[in-house]
Structures are given as C-alpha cells and as structure tokens.
Amino acid sequence: MPTTPSASPAATAADPAGGGWSPPGRTTALLTVTGILVVGQMYIVLPLLGPMARSFSASPGAVTWMATGFGLAYATGFLFAGPLADRYGPRRVIVLGLLATTLTTLAVPLATNLAAGCALRAVQGLAAASFAPAAFSVIATTVAPQRRPFALTCVTSGFLAAAVLVQVASQALESLAGWRTAFLTFGPLMALAAVFARRVLAADGGDRAATVRSAFAAMPRLLATPRLLLLYAATCTLLGGFVALYTAVSLAGPPGVSGNEGALLWLRAGALPAMVAVPLLAGALGRVPGRVRLPAALALAGAAALAASGAGGSAVALGAVLLLLVAGIAIAAPALVEAVAAAGGSARGAAVALYACAMFIGASLGPQLANSLADWGFAGIVRVVAAVFAAGAVLSVAAFSR
C-alpha cells in the first residue's frame, strides 16, 4: 500500500516527541475506538427518527435534517481541523476536540423542538470534525511506516463500523429510556476517550505550519487538480449511498423489516463481520493496485445495492446483500485515502482533509436523497443508490486514467 497521508510536508518521518515510533497497537486501538464514538454521531439519529419525530411533533422525514445538519457542519469543520492539526499539533487538537464534542453531545438532549435540535446537531458536527484529520496526522507522523497501512485500514474501517455499531447501540438505548439516553451515554464516553488520548498519543512536536493561514494555502491548488476533483467526487458517493440506504431502511424498509425492531437490529448488526474482515485482509488487499481495487470495490457496493432492491421482505436476504455492500465500502475507503494522498503530493494533509470533507458531504446528503425518494418505496430508493455507487466506480476509473 502507498504511504499513508502526512500532516504537513515536513511531518513525515519520526515521532514528533523524538523518542522513536509510538507503540502501534495502543495508538491504533485508541484511534479506532475513539473514531467509532465520534464518527458514530453522524448516524446516531437514524434509528431515532420515529421517537424524535414524536417528541418534536414532526415527521420522520423532517427529522432527517438532524443528520444532514450534523453532516454538513462536520464536512465544513474538516477544512479547518486539518490546518489546525498542522499548526498546533494533532494530539492537542484531538484532546480539545473530544472535550468540545462531549459538551455539544450532552447539549443535544436539551432541544425541545426540531429547529433547536438541528442547530445543536450542527454545533456538535463542527466539534466532532476535529478528530479525523488529526487522527490521520497521528498515524502519518508517529506510527512506523511498515505499520501505517494496517493502522490506516483499522481506523477507516472503524469510521465505517461506527455506522453499524452506533446505530445498534442507539436503538438499544432508546428502547430502554428514550432517545435522549443515546446522547447522554455517548457524551461521557468521549470525555473518557479524551483522557486516554492525552495519556496514549505521542506528544506534539517537530516541524509544524508557521500559521494556520499557511496550512490553508495548499487547498486552492488541490481543488484545481483534475485527478483530485474526480477522486473527491467519487468519495461523495461512498457514504452518500451508504447513508441513503440505511436511511431507506428506517423510512421505507421492506415489509417484514420496517417497524420490526428485532429485524432492524439484526440487519444493522449483520454488517459487522465485513468491518472485522477487511482490516484482517489489509495485507492481501494492499497487493491489488488501487486503480483496480477502488472501482471494483465501488462496483461491488453498487451490485449489492441493486440486489437489495430484489430482496423482498426477507431480513436474512437483505442482511446478506448489505454485508457485501459494507465490504465494498470498507475496501474502497482506504483505497481512496491512498489515492488522494498520492495525488496530493507534499500537501497530503490538506488533500486528506478535503477527502474527509467530500466524504461527509456525501453522508449528509444521503438522508435527503432517501427522504426525497420515499414515495418510490425501498426498492426504488436502493436502485438509485446502486446508480450512485456505479457513478463512483466510473469516476474512480476516470481519475486513474489521468
């Protein structure tokens, strides 16, 4: 696999604390688990659409704006989080960002109407955006080069696993004590993660951007690079299709699944084996060239989405094809990071921040795509999702052909 993204042109070699490379196991485990907690806040409302709609006297479709508001703020926040990590150091940004995310997560249950809920979710998204770019920076600057591919695959797979794990946890917590319980549980967990991050991650050090402005300077050039623009467009389809499909399950799930809490729980949890298997296969997958691996993975996700449209009311059949869809996305995500980092050259930190921004722009638009097509039914929505993934595969082929 190619070299993982770096925080800045200068931060490419050694532990910034000067004491050699960080212990890869502890660093990777902490970043993976913390990523599940933080990124999972994007998806936490998907199983709560019905309960929140009743609480706010709104429709479930209107409540999807609580996912979209978070996602748009989250994507915007990446544009600032990457340069801030380059300037002030990734550990500092992670710790302070986790504390801010704790406070904003605990504030969401205070909302008494949908407008307030959307506003609080947007603030939560801005705070949560601090984590991912800084986590990639930690991997690039403190993990030994031969360990980076595994660390990167684990962290990106954790980001995807968050969609499944946090939905399952959110649904279970809501059934115990209402939708507010989910936010009141995850807030303190992120505070605990901040404590561990302060203890486990290597101290910030080494060369950093002289100013935040200088860290931003590379972005216009990157956005003028045709290959990167194609890769960013393909990135939008990755979580855009993924979140649209899971929103469709909540809004218009097929008969036998929709409204059946047990079937929905099993369906969400059934994708977990793919999240575990892909990091274990990182070495073998890394030997497949990115120009083949990326479009093939997106094509697999598209084929699985198309198959989901014909799964009928069988939770088992739908779970099987969703497993394949999640596997395709889990394979495509690190391949996209690698391609973006390679195309970004010396400005890899900024390039990956833009990649994360594009990914969650797609994720924020996914719920609105499903909501706008709700009249088409579950089968109609997932056929459109299949087309989204197919477009991503075509865009990735075009990017590698340049």
Side-chain angles (χ1 to χ4, degrees), residues 57-355:
S57 299
S59 69
V63 178
T64 61
W65 282 102
M66 289 191 70
T68 298
F70 178 98
L72 290 174
Y74 192 50
T76 302
F78 284 133
L79 301 179
F80 298 91
L84 286 173
D86 284 353
R87 174 64 183 93
Y88 296 109
R91 186 178 74 164
R92 181 179 299 175
V93 169
I94 287 175
V95 172
L96 294 178
L98 283 171
L99 294 175
T101 308
T102 296
L103 296 175
T104 53
T105 301
L106 293 174
V108 173
L110 301 177
T112 56
N113 55 61
L114 182 57
C118 289
L120 289 170
R121 283 280 287 167
V123 176
Q124 184 195 22
L126 281 174
S130 60
F131 177 75
F136 286 134
S137 178
V138 167
I139 293 172
T141 58
T142 72
V143 175
Q146 67 272 23
R147 303 280 188 174
R148 288 179 196 163
F150 177 72
L152 178 63
T153 303
C154 285
V155 172
T156 54
S157 294
F159 290 173
L160 295 173
V164 178
L165 291 171
V166 174
Q167 282 193 74
V168 170
S170 176
Q171 181 179 336
L173 289 166
E174 189 280 328
S175 67
L176 290 175
W179 67 264
R180 290 177 171 83
T181 310
F183 294 95
L184 295 175
T185 300
F186 278 97
L189 289 177
M190 284 184 279
L192 186 62
V195 173
F196 278 100
R198 181 72 177 78
R199 286 178 166 271
V200 171
L201 299 181
D204 295 322
D207 294 331
R208 295 201 294 268
T211 65
V212 174
R213 182 177 179 180
S214 66
F216 272 104
M219 288 186 176
R221 175 177 59 80
L222 295 172
L223 290 173
T225 305
R227 185 179 185 185
L228 277 171
L229 286 177
L230 290 167
L231 288 171
Y232 291 145
T235 299
C236 286
T237 70
L238 194 67
L239 286 190
F242 180 71
V243 177
L245 191 144
Y246 273 96
T247 305
V249 169
S250 295
L251 291 180
V257 176
S258 181
N260 185 331
E261 293 299 318
L264 287 170
L265 187 64
W266 183 91
L267 196 62
R268 292 178 176 119
L272 288 175
M275 306 293 187
V276 175
V278 170
L280 296 177
L281 296 173
L285 291 170
R287 289 192 287 271
V288 180
R291 65 180 182 275
V292 175
R293 182 166 27 116
L294 177 54
L298 287 167
L300 172 62
L306 192 61
S309 68
S314 170
V316 174
L318 185 56
V321 294
L322 288 182
L323 181 67
L324 291 175
L325 183 144
V326 169
I329 293 172
I331 293 168
L336 270 166
V337 174
E338 295 164 19
V340 167
S346 61
R348 289 173 180 167
V352 173
L354 289 169
Y355 153 83

